[in-house]
């Protein structure tokens, strides 16, 4: 009877399970004694049937034994119910504690101030965080189930209702906290991603500008018309490539302006990069225009040299014609020479237009 009337219900789930195991041993022993009680009842019945002179005393003792036995069985059932209830409550406490422990462990990860140093590291952190958010989504069902279990236990175990409510509130507080942490970290990682995306575009564009400037400055001025034409053609190809990058410059500028409009934590850096990007683009266009003018001047000069050389060659040939002492020795020959001289004068007029 001392076992079944014990008020010890355990301090935690492990302790309750130890008590339950001991009680199961007691129940096994109790079941073993039930046969002994049956034997006592059978013997008492036999004595009464035989009209034993102590029949009243026998009946009294029999009733006393049966009453004690029924009382013991009733107390055993009550003790069993209490231990089962204690196990339910302690199992709830353990599940809540384990859930809170997991939440706090993940909370430490989400409290990290590492938001990436470049695009690749930010993308890796975002993937990791999205994995944590999937874990949280799965955990939400467990939190809801534990809250429902808390409501049920408060109804079925009113004596533990206040302690169960404390655990429930502790769980909800930790759950709300980690959801807030997760949302804040996701927002910061997105901010970091947008910044690193902008900075990566900035680096790509400024690097391309440097390479394009080197290409534009690489060619020396030509020494003939064909070379000057080739330079102008190649220079126009460079302009085509510059024009093809206009969308990239526009996209980078829009990304930077969006960061500034959102009050991004790196607004000062973004503003500085936008200025550099604009200046680099302007400098590239100015360089291209300067070289275009130089190449066109080179083309004009080479055309002048070519035309001058052609005129010089023509005049050298015509000078030999004019120095010819042959004036003809007959009418036909003189007429032929006059015809040649007329042709020369026409050619001279044509050359004079070219020279002037």
């Amino acid at each position: 009877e001392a076992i079944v009337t014990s008020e010890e219900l355990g301090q935690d789930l492990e302790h309750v399970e130890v008590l339950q195991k001991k009680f199961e041993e007691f129940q096994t022993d109790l079941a073993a004694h039930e046969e002994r009680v049956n034997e006592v009842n059978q013997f008492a019945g036999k004595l009464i049937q035989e009209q034993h002179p102590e029949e009243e005393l026998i009946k009294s003792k029999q009733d006393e034994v049966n009453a004690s036995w029924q009382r013991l069985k009733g107390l055993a059932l009550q003790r069993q119910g209490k231990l089962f209830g204690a196990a339910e409550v302690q199992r709830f406490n353990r599940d809540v504690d384990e859930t809170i422990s997991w939440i706090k462990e993940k909370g430490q990860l989400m409290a990290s101030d590492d938001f990436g140093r470049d695009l690749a590291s930010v993308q890796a952190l975002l993937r990791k965080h999205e994995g944590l958010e999937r874990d949280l989504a799965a955990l939400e069902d467990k939190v809801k189930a534990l809250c429902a279990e808390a409501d049920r236990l408060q109804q079925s175990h009113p004596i533990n209702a206040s302690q169960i409510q404390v655990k429930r509130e502790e769980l909800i507080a930790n759950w709300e906290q980690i959801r807030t942490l997760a949302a804040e970290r996701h927002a910061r990682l997105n901010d970091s991603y947008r910044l690193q995306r902008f900075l990566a575009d900035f680096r790509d564009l400024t690097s391309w500008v440097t390479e394009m400037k080197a290409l534009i400055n690489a060619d020396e001025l030509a020494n003939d018309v064909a070379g000057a034409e080739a330079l102008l053609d190649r220079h126009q190809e460079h302009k085509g490539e510059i024009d093809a990058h206009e969308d990239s410059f526009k996209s980078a500028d829009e990304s930077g302006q969006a960061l500034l409009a959102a009050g991004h934590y790196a607004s000062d850096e973004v503003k500085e990069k936008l200025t550099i990007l604009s200046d680099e683009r302007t400098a590239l266009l100015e360089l291209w225009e300067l070289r275009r003018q130089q190449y066109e001047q080179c083309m004009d000069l080479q055309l002048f040299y070519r035309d001058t050389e052609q005129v010089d060659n023509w005049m050298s040939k015509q000078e030999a014609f004019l120095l010819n002492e042959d004036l003809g020795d007959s009418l036909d020959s003189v007429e032929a020479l006059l015809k040649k001289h007329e042709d020369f004068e026409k050619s001279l007029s044509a050359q004079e237009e070219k020279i002037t």
Side-chain angles (χ1 to χ4, degrees), residues 187-202:
R188 286 296 301 273
L189 284 172
N190 279 334
D191 285 345
S192 181
Y193 173 79
R194 290 193 298 153
L195 173 64
Q196 295 301 334
R197 177 74 270 171
F198 168 75
L199 292 177
D201 291 342
F202 168 82

Side-chain angles (χ1 to χ4, degrees), residues 115-132:
F115 299 105
R117 298 170 302 282
D118 51 40
L119 190 58
S121 60
V122 174
Q123 288 174 323
L125 287 172
L126 269 171
R127 286 193 295 271
K128 183 177 180 181
H129 186 74
E130 286 165 359
L132 289 173

